């Protein structure tokens, strides 16, 4: 019985590690300034997700995706405007109805560009 529980736990941890938040690109204005970013989240299970952007102070800025049903291996593209963001570390959080959470950190400089 213990072996079965351990195997199920390892399998679920492996599956969770397979889901990902990927950057597709930056959204730029005509003058070349960055005004936002494009991302996509790819799930490995059928689920319902909400995506939130949290600022360096821990406050919710926006939720580009709310309660979106997603199938296994399906990608959900999303973007957000970062024009008035201040310098610091932001978090992109994907929360699922099944209780999993995925976090990607995004560091922004004074001009609104991503710091690598």
């Amino acid at each position: 019985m213990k072996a079965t529980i351990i195997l199920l736990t390892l399998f679920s941890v492996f599956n969770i590690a397979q889901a990902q938040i990927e950057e597709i690109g930056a959204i730029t204005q005509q003058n070349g300034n960055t005004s936002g970013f494009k991302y996509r989240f790819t799930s490995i299970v059928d689920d319902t997700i909400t995506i939130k952007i949290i600022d360096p102070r821990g406050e919710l800025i926006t939720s580009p995706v709310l309660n979106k049903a997603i199938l296994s291996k399906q990608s959900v593209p999303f973007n957000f405007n970062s024009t008035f963001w201040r310098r610091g570390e932001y978090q992109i959080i994907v929360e699922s109805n099944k209780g999993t959470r995925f976090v990607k950190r995004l560091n922004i400089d004074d001009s609104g560009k991503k710091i690598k």
Side-chain angles (χ1 to χ4, degrees), residues 32-69:
N33 289 340
T34 301
S35 63
F37 296 93
K38 296 178 184 179
Y39 278 82
R40 83 173 144 235
F41 173 73
T42 305
S43 180
I44 51 122
V45 295
D46 296 350
D47 207 343
T48 301
I49 61 165
T50 295
I51 300 175
K52 300 176 182 178
I53 310 297
I54 307 296
D55 75 3
R57 296 175 295 179
E59 296 180 11
L60 176 67
I61 295 177
T62 186
S63 294
V65 178
L66 290 171
N67 295 318
K68 168 89 173 152

Side-chain angles (χ1 to χ4, degrees), residues 4-116:
T4 304
I5 293 172
I6 291 171
L7 287 175
L8 288 174
T9 303
L10 288 174
F11 180 73
S12 65
V13 168
F14 176 75
N15 279 339
I16 290 170
Q18 298 294 316
Q20 58 184 326
I21 304 168
E22 301 174 273
E23 182 179 349
I24 299 172
I27 302 168
T28 56
Q29 299 173 345
Q30 288 181 347
N31 62 7
N33 289 340
T34 301
S35 63
F37 296 93
K38 296 178 184 179
Y39 278 82
R40 83 173 144 235
F41 173 73
T42 305
S43 180
I44 51 122
V45 295
D46 296 350
D47 207 343
T48 301
I49 61 165
T50 295
I51 300 175
K52 300 176 182 178
I53 310 297
I54 307 296
D55 75 3
R57 296 175 295 179
E59 296 180 11
L60 176 67
I61 295 177
T62 186
S63 294
V65 178
L66 290 171
N67 295 318
K68 168 89 173 152
I70 185 170
L71 299 174
S72 175
K73 299 182 183 176
Q74 180 182 9
S75 294
V76 175
F78 63 96
N79 57 47
F80 47 88
N81 186 338
S82 62
T83 302
F84 299 106
W85 289 10
R86 61 185 97 186
R87 178 182 183 91
E89 182 179 270
Y90 292 77
Q91 295 181 42
I92 302 169
I93 301 174
V94 179
E95 296 176 330
S96 80
N97 282 1
K98 292 187 177 178
T100 55
R101 176 182 271 193
F102 308 94
V103 178
K104 182 165 187 88
R105 288 172 174 47
L106 176 65
N107 288 304
I108 301 294
D109 68 12
D110 291 327
S111 67
K113 292 184 180 175
K114 187 174 86 162
I115 301 171
K116 295 184 182 191

